[in-house]
C-alpha cells in the first residue's frame, strides 16, 4: 500500500534557546511551571515580549498562590540561564526594564472549561480549533529527518557553548537542514546552514570550527555525502544578536516547535498555556497516538487531526491520514481512536493520561527549546500502546 513519491528536497529549520522568540517561550512556560507547582488547577495564558531593553509579561492567570510568584525574578534568572549573563551582550539579565500586565482569567471562559468539575471526563475544551499530531519512521525518534537533525545540531552547539568548548559562541543561533528524498524516503543531506551569534572573532575561524563540528555530529546519521554543502554565517559577522538586535514574542515559532513544516498545523501555539488549552494538550496527545500507530507498524507515517468546541468535552472529529502507507485502512485506525478505549481524546482524560498537571522528570520550559516532539523525556513520546493497537487492528508483528 506504500505510495511512491517523486524525488524531492525538504528543508526544516530550528532556532536556539537564545533566539528572541524562544527566550519568550521559555519565560512564558517557566511562569506556567511556577503556577502548576503552586496550584495544579491553575489557568494560565502567559505571553512574553522581549526587545532591546525591555521584557513584558501579559495575559490571564488564575492561580491559588499567585501572589508568591515573582515573575521579574523568574524572568531574570531564565535569561541568565540561557546565557545572556554579561554586559557586552548588550541585552543581559541585569540590564532590562521589566513590566507585567497580567490579570485573572475571564469567568466567561472559565465556566465552560471547569463546569462539571469532579465529573472527570466532562471537563470542557479550553478553546475551539483543530490540532495535529504526526509521526514517521524516518528516524529513531519517529520524527521527520530535516527537523530532527536541525534540532539536535543546535542542541549540540549549545552544549559546546555552555561547556566552554567553543568559548566564543553566544546564545542566539539558527540551523537549517535540507534532506533529499528518493521514492519518499530520506536519502542524504544536501545542505546544512548555521547562523550563530559569536564574539568578535575572525569569520574564518567560526566557519572552520562550526563546519567541523557539524560534519562530525551529522556524520552519525550516515546521510552526509562529499557533495553536502555547508554554510556558516553566510552574511558575514553575527555579533549583535538576541533581544538586543531583534524583538521576540511568545508563540512565533510554531513550525520549529512541531514538525518543521511536514504535515499540517492547526495554527495554535503552545508555550505559556496550561493543559486545559487543547491547542497544546491535544496536539501532544495526537502526537502520542500517531507515534504509537507508526511504532506498531500500522503505517510508515501518520497524521492525526482532532477538533474541539470550547467548553465541550467530546471531540468534534478525529481524522487519520497515513498517506497511503498504512497496513490497514485509515478508517479502521480512526474507528479505534474514536472508540476511546486505547486513546481518550477528552481534555480531562488527556491531562490525566499524560500527567500534564504534575510533570515528573520534565517541565514545560523544557518543551520551549529544541522542539516539543522527538525527545524521550516527554510522556507523549512513549510507545507503550503498540500492542493494544496491533490487537485492535489485527496487525501482527
Amino acid at each position: 500500500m506504500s505510495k511512491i513519491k517523486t524525488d524531492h528536497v525538504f528543508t526544516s529549520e530550528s532556532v536556539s534557546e537564545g533566539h528572541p522568540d524562544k527566550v519568550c517561550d521559555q519565560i512564558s512556560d517557566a511562569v506556567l511551571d511556577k503556577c502548576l507547582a503552586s496550584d495544579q488547577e491553575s489557568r494560565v495564558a502567559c505571553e512574553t515580549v522581549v526587545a532591546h531593553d525591555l521584557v513584558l509579561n501579559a495575559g490571564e492567570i488564575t492561580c491559588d498562590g499567585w501572589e508568591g510568584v515573582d515573575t521579574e525574578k523568574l524572568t531574570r534568572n531564565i535569561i541568565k540561564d540561557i546565557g545572556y549573563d554579561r554586559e557586552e551582550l548588550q541585552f543581559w539579565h541585569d540590564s532590562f526594564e521589566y513590566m507585567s500586565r497580567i490579570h485573572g482569567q475571564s469567568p466567561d471562559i472559565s465556566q465552560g472549561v471547569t463546569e462539571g468539575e469532579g465529573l472527570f471526563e466532562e471537563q470542557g475544551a479550553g478553546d475551539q480549533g483543530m490540532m495535529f499530531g504526526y509521526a514517521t519512521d524516518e528516524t529513531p525518534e519517529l520524527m521527520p529527518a530535516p527537523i530532527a537533525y536541525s534540532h539536535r545540531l543546535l542542541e549540540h552547539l549549545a552544549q559546546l557553548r555552555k561547556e566552554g568548548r567553543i568559548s566564543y559562541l553566544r546564545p542566539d543561533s539558527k540551523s537549517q537542514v535540507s534532506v533529499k528524498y528518493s521514492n519518499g524516503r530520506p536519502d542524504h543531506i544536501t545542505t546544512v546552514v548555521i547562523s550563530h551569534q559569536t564574539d568578535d572573532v575572525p569569520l574564518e575561524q567560526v566557519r572552520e570550527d562550526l563546519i567541523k563540528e557539524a560534519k562530525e555530529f551529522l556524520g552519525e546519521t550516515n546521510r552526509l555525502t562529499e557533495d553536502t554543502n555547508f554554510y556558516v554565517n553566510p552574511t558575514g559577522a553575527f555579533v549583535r544578536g538576541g533581544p538586543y538586535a531583534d524583538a521576540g514574542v511568545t508563540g512565533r515559532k510554531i513550525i520549529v516547535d512541531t514538525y518543521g513544516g511536514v504535515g499540517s498545523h492547526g495554527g495554535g501555539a503552545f508555550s505559556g498555556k496550561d493543559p486545559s488549552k487543547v491547542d497544546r494538550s491535544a496536539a501532544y496527545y495526537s502526537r502520542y497516538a500517531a507515534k504509537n500507530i507508526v511504532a506498531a507498524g500500522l503505517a510508515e507515517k501518520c497524521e492525526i487531526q482532532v477538533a474541539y468546541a470550547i467548553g465541550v468535552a467530546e471531540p468534534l472529529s478525529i481524522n487519520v491520514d497515513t498517506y497511503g502507507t498504512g497496513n490497514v485502512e485509515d478508517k479502521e485506525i480512526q474507528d479505534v481512536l474514536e472508540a476511546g478505549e486505547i486513546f481518550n481524546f477528552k481534555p480531562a482524560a488527556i491531562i490525566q493520561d499524560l500527567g500534564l498537571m504534575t510533570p515528573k522528570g520534565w517541565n514545560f520550559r523544557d518543551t520551549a527549546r529544541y522542539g516539543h516532539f522527538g525527545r524521550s523525556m516527554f510522556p507523549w513520546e512513549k510507545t507503550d500502546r503498540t500492542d493494544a493497537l496491533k490487537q485492535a487492528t489485527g496487525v501482527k508483528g
Side-chain angles (χ1 to χ4, degrees), residues 215-254:
K215 285 183 175 180
E216 289 181 359
F217 183 76
L218 292 175
E220 297 178 3
T221 68
N222 294 317
R223 286 184 170 145
L224 292 182
T225 73
E226 293 181 356
D227 296 325
T228 300
N229 294 309
F230 290 85
Y231 299 97
V232 172
N233 289 4
T235 62
F238 181 12
V239 175
R240 297 182 181 181
Y244 175 72
D246 189 14
V249 181
T250 297
R252 206 158 59 176
K253 287 292 178 283
I254 61 175

Side-chain angles (χ1 to χ4, degrees), residues 220-359:
E220 297 178 3
T221 68
N222 294 317
R223 286 184 170 145
L224 292 182
T225 73
E226 293 181 356
D227 296 325
T228 300
N229 294 309
F230 290 85
Y231 299 97
V232 172
N233 289 4
T235 62
F238 181 12
V239 175
R240 297 182 181 181
Y244 175 72
D246 189 14
V249 181
T250 297
R252 206 158 59 176
K253 287 292 178 283
I254 61 175
I255 300 303
V256 171
D257 285 345
T258 52
Y259 307 103
V262 176
S264 307
H265 198 295
F270 298 152
S271 291
K273 297 178 180 179
D274 74 83
S276 75
K277 278 74 169 175
V278 284
D279 268 353
R280 182 171 212 162
S281 55
Y284 290 173
Y285 206 66
S286 297
R287 161 66 177 174
Y288 183 30
K291 186 173 183 180
N292 274 268
I293 288 166
V294 172
L298 274 62
E300 295 175 12
K301 61 181 69 175
C302 179
E303 180 179 87
I304 295 172
Q305 184 206 55
V306 59
Y308 296 89
I310 188 169
V312 178
E314 194 72 40
L316 304 182
S317 64
I318 299 175
N319 182 67
V320 174
D321 187 353
T322 63
Y323 300 89
T325 70
N327 292 314
V328 296
E329 295 297 329
D330 291 357
K331 181 63 166 61
E332 186 175 351
I333 302 173
Q334 182 174 313
D335 289 344
V336 170
L337 298 186
E338 289 176 343
E341 296 179 2
I342 300 176
F343 295 97
N344 187 339
F345 280 82
K346 290 183 178 181
I350 292 173
I351 291 169
Q352 177 168 292
D353 213 358
L354 297 179
L356 296 180
M357 292 299 194
T358 55

Side-chain angles (χ1 to χ4, degrees), residues 22-320:
K22 278 292 148 196
V23 171
C24 293
D25 286 345
Q26 289 173 85
I27 293 170
S28 293
D29 271 340
V31 171
L32 170 60
D33 288 326
K34 279 289 187 182
C35 289
L36 291 178
S38 177
D39 175 12
Q40 293 180 18
E41 302 302 317
S42 294
R43 294 287 182 261
V44 178
C46 180
E47 312 295 341
T48 305
V49 176
V50 297
H52 175 66
D53 197 30
L54 173 69
V55 177
L56 166 67
N57 280 140
E60 304 81 46
I61 293 178
T62 301
C63 168
D64 185 9
W66 173 246
E67 63 279 357
V69 179
D70 187 340
T71 53
E72 178 174 357
K73 181 179 179 181
L74 178 65
T75 295
R76 294 189 186 278
N77 286 340
I78 291 294
I79 288 172
K80 182 178 182 180
D81 183 63
I82 289 170
Y84 293 110
D85 56 1
R86 58 192 190 276
E87 188 172 4
E88 58 263 35
L89 299 177
Q90 304 300 317
F91 178 91
W92 62 303
H93 67 283
D94 274 345
S95 72
F96 56 82
E97 177 186 2
Y98 177 80
M99 299 174 63
S100 177
R101 295 295 184 269
I102 292 174
H103 58 83
Q105 185 186 47
S106 164
D108 293 344
I109 297 174
S110 179
Q111 68 180 353
V113 178
T114 59
E115 189 174 353
E117 191 170 357
L119 304 175
F120 168 67
E121 292 188 342
E122 296 309 312
Q123 174 181 321
D127 202 352
Q128 71 176 50
M130 63 282 188
M131 300 85 215
F132 291 87
Y134 184 86
T136 173
D137 64 1
E138 295 178 10
T139 60
E141 57 265 58
L142 303 187
M143 287 286 286
I147 189 66
Y149 299 158
S150 295
H151 282 322
R152 300 296 83 81
L153 176 58
L154 277 193
E155 267 193 304
H156 175 65
L157 295 178
Q159 184 177 4
L160 295 179
R161 171 175 64 86
K162 291 178 179 181
E163 293 175 353
R165 291 161 60 189
I166 301 183
S167 59
Y168 59 76
L169 294 180
R170 291 182 174 184
D172 193 1
S173 61
K174 288 185 175 184
S175 66
Q176 187 171 288
V177 177
S178 302
V179 175
K180 174 68 178 294
Y181 285 74
S182 297
N183 294 329
R185 306 295 301 177
D187 185 77
H188 64 274
I189 296 171
T190 64
T191 308
V192 177
V193 181
I194 301 170
S195 295
H196 210 302
Q197 183 189 17
T198 70
D199 292 341
D200 190 7
V201 298
L203 182 59
E204 294 77 11
Q205 179 184 355
V206 175
R207 288 175 171 165
E208 180 180 349
D209 290 345
L210 296 194
I211 289 174
K212 176 179 179 291
E213 288 295 337
K215 285 183 175 180
E216 289 181 359
F217 183 76
L218 292 175
E220 297 178 3
T221 68
N222 294 317
R223 286 184 170 145
L224 292 182
T225 73
E226 293 181 356
D227 296 325
T228 300
N229 294 309
F230 290 85
Y231 299 97
V232 172
N233 289 4
T235 62
F238 181 12
V239 175
R240 297 182 181 181
Y244 175 72
D246 189 14
V249 181
T250 297
R252 206 158 59 176
K253 287 292 178 283
I254 61 175
I255 300 303
V256 171
D257 285 345
T258 52
Y259 307 103
V262 176
S264 307
H265 198 295
F270 298 152
S271 291
K273 297 178 180 179
D274 74 83
S276 75
K277 278 74 169 175
V278 284
D279 268 353
R280 182 171 212 162
S281 55
Y284 290 173
Y285 206 66
S286 297
R287 161 66 177 174
Y288 183 30
K291 186 173 183 180
N292 274 268
I293 288 166
V294 172
L298 274 62
E300 295 175 12
K301 61 181 69 175
C302 179
E303 180 179 87
I304 295 172
Q305 184 206 55
V306 59
Y308 296 89
I310 188 169
V312 178
E314 194 72 40
L316 304 182
S317 64
I318 299 175
N319 182 67
V320 174

